[in-house]
Amino acid sequence: MKDFFISTREESPAWVVELGGYLDAHTAPQLEQTFQDMLERERYRIVVDFNQLDYISSAGLGVFMAFIEDVRENQGDIKLAGMTPKVFNVFDLLGFPMLYEIYDHRAEALNKFTEKVEDSTADS
Amino acid sequence: MKKNPANTTLRYSHTVPARTEELRVVREAVEREAVRFGFDPETAFRIALAVDEACANIIEHAYRDRMDSNFSVEIATDSNQFVITLYDSGTQFQPGRLPRLDIRQRARDHRQGGLGLHIINIVMDAVDYGTTSNSRNCLRLVKYLNGTH
């Protein structure tokens, strides 16, 4: 199993956070720091791509729980994409699909943000 | 493998430094032993997850990240039971009734912790907290191979 890694990059109209390896009590503080940095920079449209993540425990889930309200209060969202069945299994165990939009591929999650931007432009 | 009393077999015994970087070693051992015992890969993964959560609680709460401490992991089995026992000498956990998990409310409250206890209770068939004769905390996690006692 790979070590944990995290990277962020802009894919307009959102920011993509790519996760890989294992996300547990040891590595979750790195994700927490990344979300804190994103919020400080007022980046509220976030897609998390789990494609290369092999493992997640509640320490990782807790980070998503801690930031989702702040992001939504700022008209943004954290959309999740690309989970392996193993990782989805952990989210599903605690009922997270009720709280988060989860997509098979990150392109679908990014499209949702694009649609929202187009809708708000059409409304104005 | 060594035979224990009451027809159980000790399959794994390991003393672990109380550091979060050790979690990976423990869950890999638990998952491997669970598969060897006969659980399907998905159940074995879930058992390893539950043990990961229990170990993380010991490191972060019982020992409050005191990195010079350690705890012990034992896996014993009989024909139907897969039993993981964790021993530590940290602050004793006082189990109460676990409230219903309301993740929407937790999100509104920005509550990050406490999810691990829910995972442990969802995954395992029995969870018992106790104390050994030499005053160590003891957490016993049981999963039945055939789903029932």
Side-chain angles (χ1 to χ4, degrees), chain B residues 59-78:
Chain B
I59 295 166
E60 293 175 349
H61 303 297
Y63 286 129
R64 295 181 197 280
D65 290 313
R66 280 195 338 253
M67 297 208 293
D68 56 338
S69 311
N70 57 52
F71 62 97
S72 305
V73 182
E74 282 184 10
I75 301 172
T77 56
D78 65 13

Side-chain angles (χ1 to χ4, degrees), chain A residues 54-84:
Chain A
D54 299 308
Y55 179 82
I56 190 166
S57 72
S58 74
L61 300 186
V63 177
F64 296 104
M65 189 76 98
F67 290 98
I68 188 68
E69 282 295 305
D70 288 339
V71 166
R72 286 181 180 164
E73 278 166 15
N74 287 283
Q75 288 71 54
D77 197 12
I78 301 172
K79 300 185 195 296
L80 314 178
M83 291 181 192
T84 62

Side-chain angles (χ1 to χ4, degrees), chain B:
Chain B
M1 283 184 290
K2 164 175 130 186
K3 277 281 179 194
N4 269 6
N7 297 321
T8 61
T9 303
L10 184 64
R11 306 173 75 96
Y12 178 83
S13 178
H14 190 51
T15 299
V16 186
R19 297 193 293 259
T20 51
E21 60 262 46
E22 302 292 333
L23 291 170
R24 184 177 172 180
V25 175
V26 175
R27 61 178 181 257
E28 284 174 0
V30 171
E31 190 169 1
R32 183 182 64 237
E33 290 301 327
V35 168
R36 277 188 192 158
F37 184 57
F39 288 109
D40 62 82
E42 187 179 329
T43 306
F45 170 77
R46 285 183 171 209
I47 295 169
L49 172 68
V51 175
D52 180 323
E53 301 293 350
C55 294
N57 284 344
I58 289 173
I59 295 166
E60 293 175 349
H61 303 297
Y63 286 129
R64 295 181 197 280
D65 290 313
R66 280 195 338 253
M67 297 208 293
D68 56 338
S69 311
N70 57 52
F71 62 97
S72 305
V73 182
E74 282 184 10
I75 301 172
T77 56
D78 65 13
S79 58
N80 188 35
Q81 288 189 105
F82 187 81
V83 183
I84 307 105
T85 311
L86 306 177
Y87 300 95
D88 73 82
S89 304
T91 306
Q92 191 177 23
F93 175 67
Q94 302 291 343
R97 191 169 162 274
L98 198 59
R100 191 177 65 86
L101 179 62
D102 182 343
I103 62 158
R104 290 182 196 280
Q105 188 59 49
R106 279 175 164 265
R108 282 194 287 273
D109 296 344
H110 301 82
R111 278 189 65 199
Q112 200 166 340
L115 294 169
L117 289 176
H118 289 277
I119 289 179
I120 293 167
N121 281 302
I122 290 167
V123 170
M124 303 308 294
D125 293 320
V127 179
D128 297 307
Y129 294 87
T131 311
T132 64
S133 55
N134 59 351
S135 302
R136 295 193 90 194
N137 303 316
C138 165
L139 170 59
R140 189 169 176 271
L141 306 168
V142 183
K143 189 76 179 171
Y144 300 116
L145 191 58
N146 297 323
T148 53
H149 191 57

